[in-house]
Amino acid sequence: MLFLPTKVFSWLLVFVIAIGAWEWAGLIRIQTIRGRLFYAIAVLLLLWVSCFLPLVFILVTSVIWWSICALLLMRWSKKRPYHPIIATFTIGIIAGVLVLIPTWQAIISLHSLPVIGPKWVLFLFILVWLADSAAYIVGRKFGHTRLAPALSPGKTWEGVYGAIIASLLFSFIGSEVFELSGDIWWVFWGLGLLTILFSIIGDLLESLFKRISAVKDSGYLLPGHGGVLDRVDSLTAASPVFALGIWVLERLQ
């Protein structure tokens, strides 16, 4: 991440996206090897096509998509976890594209920024990982109020508060490291908070599709940890939000 040129790093991330597409095909009940391979190849072709589209268009579209997901997931969080239309094959195919492709575009756009780009990517990853860890630790220790029992019974509001506090503290560290000041400082804090809130939506969306498919994990590539999607679900929603925010900050400075 820190030392590879963006072109090489982007190809490594293509490999991750391909595995994610393979696993997503399983979540939408494509069981055959041929079918899952076809879906993964289709996602990679669309990824190539997306390189010819304006970055801002992709990021804004992704943020709108995740905002709609947030509204729907809030509605289904405490009762029947999904409307029947969500379980349809077509919706699943489209959802996978909207989850995976903007993630790649967002991370690569950050990494390609001159000098500081790879550090932005590292900050984003640590921010999400730290928030996930804080949510887990605080939720296990103090969690009582379930966040979305119909989607993910283990998540609690107390865990969310822990994630928010951790993200704000790490955003403060980031603002010092990146030497942000004035109004930019406050905007950056807000971006860190917004990024973590969206990361929770990414986690819950994957939980929704896992419940639809009646599986515990997206895959078995990482023994004891599930699949690639289980490791990057939070980043799929957080990355476009953070990348769009950095795009704005670059123009405010």
Side-chain angles (χ1 to χ4, degrees), residues 62-246:
S62 180
V63 172
I64 293 173
W65 149 256
W66 284 111
S67 299
I68 294 172
C69 288
L71 295 174
L72 294 176
L73 292 172
M74 287 172 58
R75 182 177 180 181
W76 300 328
S77 62
K78 293 185 174 69
K79 51 183 180 179
R80 186 181 181 183
Y82 60 88
H83 190 280
I85 193 174
I86 296 299
T88 61
F89 185 65
T90 303
I91 293 297
I93 289 176
I94 296 172
V97 172
L98 292 173
V99 165
L100 294 169
I101 291 178
T103 301
W104 185 88
Q105 287 284 3
I107 294 174
I108 296 307
S109 70
L110 288 171
H111 197 274
S112 64
L113 292 174
V115 183
I116 205 172
K119 295 179 182 178
W120 278 131
V121 178
L122 181 61
F123 175 84
L124 168 64
F125 279 32
I126 295 178
L127 177 68
V128 173
W129 293 337
L130 185 63
D132 281 348
S133 300
Y136 176 78
I137 294 170
V138 174
R140 285 290 296 270
K141 185 72 174 178
F142 304 106
H144 297 290
T145 310
R146 290 183 177 181
L147 172 65
L151 300 174
S152 185
K155 292 181 176 58
T156 64
W157 278 106
E158 289 79 8
V160 172
Y161 302 146
I164 289 174
I165 292 172
S167 68
L168 290 176
L169 290 174
F170 191 64
S171 293
F172 173 76
I173 295 173
S175 66
E176 295 297 316
V177 171
F178 294 113
E179 299 180 347
L180 304 177
S181 60
D183 293 338
I184 301 296
W185 191 80
W186 291 104
V187 173
F188 185 70
W189 265 43
L191 176 59
L193 175 59
L194 192 63
T195 299
I196 291 310
L197 293 178
F198 271 80
S199 75
I200 297 171
I201 301 303
D203 194 333
L204 290 177
L205 182 71
E206 196 211 359
S207 296
L208 168 62
F209 277 92
K210 286 195 290 189
R211 284 203 167 258
I212 292 172
S213 301
V215 295
K216 182 179 181 295
D217 298 313
S218 65
Y220 307 99
L221 183 65
L222 308 171
H225 293 275
V228 166
L229 286 177
D230 295 316
R231 297 298 91 204
V232 303
D233 51 2
S234 299
L235 278 167
T236 57
S239 299
V241 174
F242 187 77
L244 183 60
I246 295 302

Side-chain angles (χ1 to χ4, degrees), residues 17-95:
I17 294 298
I19 298 174
W22 173 276
E23 292 179 352
W24 190 272
L27 291 183
I28 59 177
R29 301 173 183 173
I30 300 177
Q31 302 299 336
T32 66
I33 293 178
R34 180 180 297 180
R36 294 176 73 168
L37 185 61
F38 178 81
Y39 183 73
I41 293 173
V43 169
L44 293 182
L45 287 174
L46 290 173
L47 182 64
W48 174 73
V49 171
S50 73
C51 295
F52 299 96
L53 299 176
L55 174 65
V56 176
F57 171 78
I58 295 173
L59 296 180
V60 170
T61 300
S62 180
V63 172
I64 293 173
W65 149 256
W66 284 111
S67 299
I68 294 172
C69 288
L71 295 174
L72 294 176
L73 292 172
M74 287 172 58
R75 182 177 180 181
W76 300 328
S77 62
K78 293 185 174 69
K79 51 183 180 179
R80 186 181 181 183
Y82 60 88
H83 190 280
I85 193 174
I86 296 299
T88 61
F89 185 65
T90 303
I91 293 297
I93 289 176
I94 296 172

